[in-house]
Amino acid sequence: MLALQGDVREHMGALEDLGEETLEVRTPRDLDQVTSLVIPGGESTTMSILLDSSGMLPPLKERLAAGMPAFGTCAGMILLAREISDGRADQHTLDAIDIGVRRNAFGRQVDSFESDLVVDGLDEPFHAVFIRAPVVERVGPGVEVMAWVTDGTGTRRPVLCRDRNVVVAAFHPELSGDPRIHKMFLARSRAGKGPGAEPPAPEA
Ligand code: GLN
């Protein structure tokens, strides 16, 4: 669990409720101890600065490139994306999933909203909380979109995407008290699908 900034505790609670062992990752040494990583919601520009100052940016990029499973929500989605629009000029991208995102782009009409999403692989809708959420503007060919939302202009936007064992959500599944999306990530990371994927992940 990347614990530099953001809603770390909510994610840890969700993972622990599912029986996962968790560790707060703040240094390159912590990173060595985990086999998968959750990046929480919060402020992606601040997390980017802290990734730099903690020395974690190079090892994290390396682990992701080697196939470490990762789950990013909201700011975490922004960090894991290939391209960021409306970021800080010096904001880093982890480039773990081939999508382009625009920061705070749902926020032109409303800052925050909730929506019942139809999610691929889930029988019942998922009640999703969006807080100054990024809009996914580009989806690469290898990326699967698992849920969409219609924005204020009537455009359908991807809000849950997956590429092999990297899962990203524009919303905050950790705030819904519904473990199904965390469960899906854990199942996915345990299955270790895709080239370079790592073995089962007891920690996040
Ligand atoms: N707007 C924030 C950012 O750019 C993300 C908001 C969130 O994580 N709730 O990082």
Side-chain angles (χ1 to χ4, degrees):
M1 177 79 230
L2 189 69
L4 295 172
Q5 191 265 339
D7 61 342
V8 173
R9 205 171 333 152
E10 289 79 0
H11 270 292
M12 302 265 284
L15 294 165
E16 282 161 12
D17 286 351
L18 292 170
E20 283 296 300
E21 202 185 316
T22 57
L23 178 75
E24 295 189 23
V25 172
R26 295 195 186 84
T27 66
R29 253 174 101 141
D30 298 335
L31 187 60
D32 285 345
Q33 311 301 309
V34 300
T35 49
S36 65
L37 191 70
V38 174
I39 306 184
E43 183 49 58
S44 60
T45 53
T46 307
M47 281 191 232
S48 172
I49 291 168
L50 295 172
L51 279 174
D52 247 339
S53 59
S54 64
M56 258 198 299
L57 189 67
L60 179 52
K61 279 189 151 176
E62 212 170 284
R63 290 290 305 278
L64 290 168
M68 176 174 64
F71 178 27
T73 62
C74 202
M77 170 193 248
I78 296 170
L79 282 166
L80 287 167
R82 177 159 294 171
E83 301 120 26
I84 304 173
S85 305
D86 292 343
R88 276 173 58 116
D90 59 353
Q91 186 166 355
H92 297 293
T93 55
L94 293 170
D95 191 13
I97 183 165
D98 184 16
I99 59 171
V101 300
R102 184 173 296 278
R103 289 180 62 233
N104 303 334
F106 283 112
R108 293 197 185 109
Q109 282 84 23
V110 274
D111 241 15
S112 303
F113 60 98
E114 302 190 9
S115 177
D116 287 321
L117 304 179
V118 174
V119 177
D120 267 9
L122 298 185
D123 292 340
E124 301 290 329
F126 188 94
H127 187 73
V129 179
F130 292 80
I131 305 168
R132 300 183 68 226
V135 163
V136 177
E137 293 187 325
R138 187 191 65 77
V139 174
V143 175
E144 189 186 340
V145 176
M146 301 173 70
W148 303 78
V149 103
T150 302
D151 73 10
T153 69
T155 311
R156 256 160 54 96
R157 302 291 193 180
V159 292
L160 182 64
C161 303
R162 177 162 85 177
D163 184 3
R164 289 171 289 203
N165 47 17
V166 174
V167 178
V168 289
F171 52 98
H172 290 269
E174 72 281 13
L175 298 183
S176 295
D178 180 340
R180 290 178 295 163
I181 293 181
H182 286 81
K183 225 174 179 167
M184 179 195 290
F185 166 67
L186 293 172
R188 190 74 184 186
S189 58
R190 285 195 191 104
K193 291 195 177 145
E198 295 189 347
E203 293 152 5

